[in-house]
């Protein structure tokens, strides 16, 4: 029993790795097939004059020639095997949700809750997480079934405003990283549920109708198409959110929900350009507009930091000793970032980052600055209670030349 208990943290780390690995692989398969079929549909040669064929495409790949035909209606004779492409979506959601449990629910105290944002219990944070995940699907599905869906512009703007409200509220409930991941997880849930609840049932309806020589329910086909377009636009923001944890200047920004909204618009714009191009509508101005948006984001996130760095001068001109800096780091960071962490649940220093010796600190000073001074991502949820004065002491020591022999 004792062995099992000491084994658990290692087991959880391995589970994290394995499930993340699976999540990426099946996610690539899902988005890959979705991108491929979109592309295929747009590149079909529709001028072709073949009986019962809507369009044709020739391609060469991995040692063979492929000739794909899109039929005008159902096949006269059903093949022995018809491929559906649904497990890519389901397994992506299942592995994603499992990852959310392993990484966030198991570490709710340090990764979901930020006591400076909201002092909630781990159980409540998990409950809120589930409400957001499934609630956003029900809200979205409700909007899709309302009359609003007939007006694309209003529907898009409304959904976008709701997503921003969702992102904003999440940043007021959870720590910043958990807030971001929950926007991604909610959108991902909507995407997978679109496949499960609308797209696949519509395909089933189409197949059943064909098998029974009946006309399929057209309205189902139309909503399946709409949902698949929505999924297509959601891919880019969702993928951004999934990699955003590597970029603290996004989720760690004071107005992280604005950063998220802006990057999502830019991502959707780029997707829109390609979708239009697939329809042979060329709007090249979209790309420079997106690039310009990115440049504004770079300035928006960096300039205030550069200015505030310049303004935080050491008033007393007193030289800060390295011992002082090392002590702050020892007490505020060392419980986790040391060879043998003492913080419960950490068997190894997170991401292998050790901040003990002067060498460790100097080597990682840029990372320390981005995570603990330019933003307040570390310590997570300020669990060790670092003060603003202490953050300023580290900043001033950096500005005074990072000397360690004083
Ligand atoms: C409660 C434990 C804990 C405390 C205390 C803590 N950290 Fe962390 N730190 C983590 C975890 C967990 C991660 C990994 C986050 C991830 O997976 O991205 C991390 C990651 C980091 C990283 C990113 C490393 C990389 O390679 O990207 C830096 C830098 C960092 N911490 C600095 C600090 C500093 C500086 C302090 C003190 C002011 C501190 N941490 C306090 C748990 C802690």
């Amino acid at each position: 029993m004792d062995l099992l208990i000491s084994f658990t943290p290692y087991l959880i780390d391995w589970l994290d790795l394995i499930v993340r690995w699976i999540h990426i692989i099946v996610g690539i398969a899902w988005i890959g097939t979705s991108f491929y079929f979109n592309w295929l549909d747009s590149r079909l040669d529709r001028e072709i004059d073949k009986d019962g064929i809507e369009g044709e495409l020739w391609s060469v790949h991995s040692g063979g020639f492929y000739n794909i035909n899109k039929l005008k209606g159902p096949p006269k004779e059903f093949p022995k095997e018809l491929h559906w492409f649904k497990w890519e979506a389901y397994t992506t959601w299942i592995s994603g949700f499992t990852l959310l449990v392993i990484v966030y629910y198991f570490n709710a105290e340090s990764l979901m809750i930020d006591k400076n944002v909201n002092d909630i219990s781990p159980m409540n944070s998990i409950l809120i997480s589930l409400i957001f995940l499934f609630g956003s699907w029900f809200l979205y599905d409700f909007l899709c079934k309302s009359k609003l869906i007939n007006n694309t512009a209003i529907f898009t703007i409304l959904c976008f405003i709701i997503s921003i409200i969702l992102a904003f509220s999440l940043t007021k409930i959870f720590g910043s990283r958990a807030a971001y991941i929950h926007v991604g997880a909610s959108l991902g849930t909507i995407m997978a549920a679109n496949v499960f609840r609308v797209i696949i049932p519509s395909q089933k309806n189409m197949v059943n109708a064909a098998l029974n020589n009946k006309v399929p329910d057209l309205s189902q086909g139309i909503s399946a198409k709409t949902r698949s377009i929505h999924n297509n636009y959601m891919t880019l923001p969702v993928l951004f959110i999934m990699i955003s944890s590597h970029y603290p200047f996004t989720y760690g920004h004071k107005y992280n929900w604005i950063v998220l909204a802006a990057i999502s618009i830019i991502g959707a714009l780029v997707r829109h350009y390609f979708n239009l191009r697939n329809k042979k509508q060329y709007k090249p101005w979209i790309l420079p507009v997106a690039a310009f948006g990115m440049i504004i984001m770079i300035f928006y996130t960096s300039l205030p930091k550069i200015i505030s760095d310049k303004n935080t001068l050491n008033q007393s001109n007193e030289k800060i000793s390295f011992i002082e800096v090392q002590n702050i780091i020892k007490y505020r960071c060392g419980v986790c970032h040391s060879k043998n962490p003492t913080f419960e649940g950490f068997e190894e220093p997170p991401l292998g980052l050790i901040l003990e010796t002067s060498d460790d600190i100097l080597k990682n000073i840029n990372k320390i600055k981005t995570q603990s001074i330019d933003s307040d991502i570390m310590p997570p949820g300020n669990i060790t209670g670092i003060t603003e004065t202490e953050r300023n002491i580290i900043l001033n020591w950096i500005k005074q030349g990072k000397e360690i022999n004083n």
Side-chain angles (χ1 to χ4, degrees):
M1 195 60 200
D2 264 5
L3 186 71
L4 194 68
I5 291 173
S6 31
F7 200 53
T8 314
Y10 299 99
L11 195 68
I12 291 179
D13 279 353
W14 272 97
L15 262 179
D16 176 344
L17 164 67
I18 295 165
V19 178
R20 199 180 292 260
W21 198 8
I22 294 174
H23 184 56
I24 295 174
I25 295 167
V26 288
I28 290 175
W30 179 16
I31 293 168
T33 39
S34 148
F35 275 24
Y36 173 71
F37 278 100
N38 258 298
W39 173 87
L40 181 65
D41 225 34
S42 70
R43 298 300 158 105
L44 286 175
D45 174 6
R46 291 175 200 269
E47 317 271 281
I48 189 141
D49 188 16
K50 269 200 202 166
D51 212 16
I53 302 294
E54 186 181 319
E56 182 185 56
L57 182 124
W58 283 89
S59 55
V60 55
H61 194 264
S62 48
F65 292 94
Y66 294 77
N67 177 212
I68 293 152
N69 289 299
K70 182 175 180 185
L71 310 190
K72 276 189 180 137
K76 289 197 181 66
E77 208 173 300
F78 260 80
K80 258 208 316 267
E81 199 173 353
L82 186 63
H83 297 283
W84 285 79
F85 302 100
K86 57 181 177 188
W87 280 104
E88 291 84 349
Y90 301 165
T91 45
T92 305
W93 188 85
I94 294 167
S95 54
F97 183 72
T98 313
L99 207 52
L100 191 70
V101 174
I102 297 173
V103 178
Y104 286 89
Y105 292 4
F106 282 5
N107 299 302
E109 186 112 41
S110 56
L111 281 184
M112 305 234 301
I113 301 161
D114 182 340
K115 291 204 164 58
N116 296 323
V117 175
N118 214 332
D119 197 356
I120 42 177
S121 70
M123 209 50 225
N124 281 347
S125 73
I126 294 171
L127 211 66
I128 296 173
S129 157
L130 292 170
I131 291 174
F132 265 90
L133 240 55
F134 294 100
S136 30
W137 157 252
F138 286 115
L139 181 62
Y140 160 84
D141 190 48
F142 170 77
L143 290 175
C144 281
K145 287 175 177 158
S146 73
K147 288 214 166 59
L148 281 168
I149 194 80
N150 300 324
N151 189 328
T152 312
I154 292 184
F155 182 84
T156 313
I157 293 171
L158 187 70
C159 281
F160 186 67
I161 292 174
I162 293 176
S163 317
I164 293 181
I165 296 175
L166 176 105
F168 176 78
S169 345
L170 280 164
T171 58
K172 300 292 165 229
I173 298 172
F174 294 137
S176 50
R177 230 184 94 174
Y180 256 48
I181 230 42
H182 275 84
V183 178
S186 300
L187 293 179
T189 301
I190 291 179
M191 288 171 69
N194 269 340
V195 175
F196 182 59
R197 301 279 301 138
V198 180
I199 298 172
I200 292 296
S202 143
Q203 280 172 206
K204 277 198 183 131
N205 169 273
M206 216 167 70
V207 171
N208 285 339
L211 285 172
N212 298 318
N213 272 329
K214 285 199 187 125
V215 186
D217 176 2
L218 263 183
S219 69
Q220 271 202 25
I222 293 171
S223 31
K225 183 78 206 161
T226 315
R227 305 289 180 111
S228 132
I229 294 173
H230 292 172
N231 276 6
N232 186 273
Y233 281 98
M234 278 188 268
T235 346
L236 267 72
V238 169
L239 287 181
F240 157 70
I241 294 170
M242 297 305 151
I243 57 168
S244 69
S245 64
H246 298 287
Y247 306 97
F249 52 85
T250 55
Y251 68 88
H253 192 271
K254 191 169 168 208
Y255 297 110
N256 48 7
W257 56 278
I258 297 184
V259 175
L260 180 58
I263 291 185
S264 302
I265 298 179
I266 294 168
L269 263 181
V270 173
R271 191 61 250 172
H272 190 55
Y273 165 79
F274 283 101
N275 285 348
L276 288 178
R277 197 179 78 157
N278 285 345
K279 286 197 252 169
K280 306 245 170 347
Q281 296 174 22
Y282 297 97
K283 300 258 160 54
W285 56 266
I286 293 180
L287 292 182
V289 167
F292 185 65
M294 269 301 183
I295 293 172
I296 292 184
M297 287 312 295
I298 296 172
F299 279 104
Y300 173 67
T301 53
S302 329
L303 266 186
K305 274 183 220 151
I306 295 171
I307 294 167
S308 90
D309 272 13
K310 285 224 159 63
N311 290 344
T312 331
L313 282 172
N314 188 14
Q315 301 294 340
S316 59
N317 255 347
E318 206 178 289
K319 194 118 184 119
I320 289 166
S321 77
F322 174 67
I323 305 290
E324 205 176 338
V325 171
Q326 198 174 20
N327 268 333
I328 296 173
I329 293 180
K330 183 174 162 194
Y331 290 112
R332 307 302 187 195
C333 322
V335 284
C336 301
H337 293 289
S338 58
K339 277 194 207 81
N340 298 304
T342 49
F343 198 86
E344 205 189 316
F346 287 89
E347 295 304 316
E348 312 263 338
L351 299 179
L353 181 69
I354 298 171
L355 302 173
E356 279 176 349
T357 65
S358 52
D359 246 18
D360 297 336
I361 295 175
L362 271 184
K363 214 166 55 195
N364 293 298
I365 195 66
N366 287 336
K367 279 192 192 168
I368 296 176
K369 185 169 178 291
T370 38
Q371 304 250 354
S372 302
I373 296 165
D374 297 341
S375 62
D376 48 14
I377 296 162
M378 282 291 145
N382 201 1
I383 209 150
T384 49
I386 190 172
T387 62
E388 265 327 289
T389 320
E390 288 171 334
R391 292 190 207 265
N392 274 335
I393 289 175
I394 304 179
L395 176 62
N396 280 322
W397 172 76
I398 295 173
K399 282 207 251 162
Q400 287 174 1
K402 296 181 272 190
E403 283 170 39
I404 47 172
N405 300 321
N406 54 10

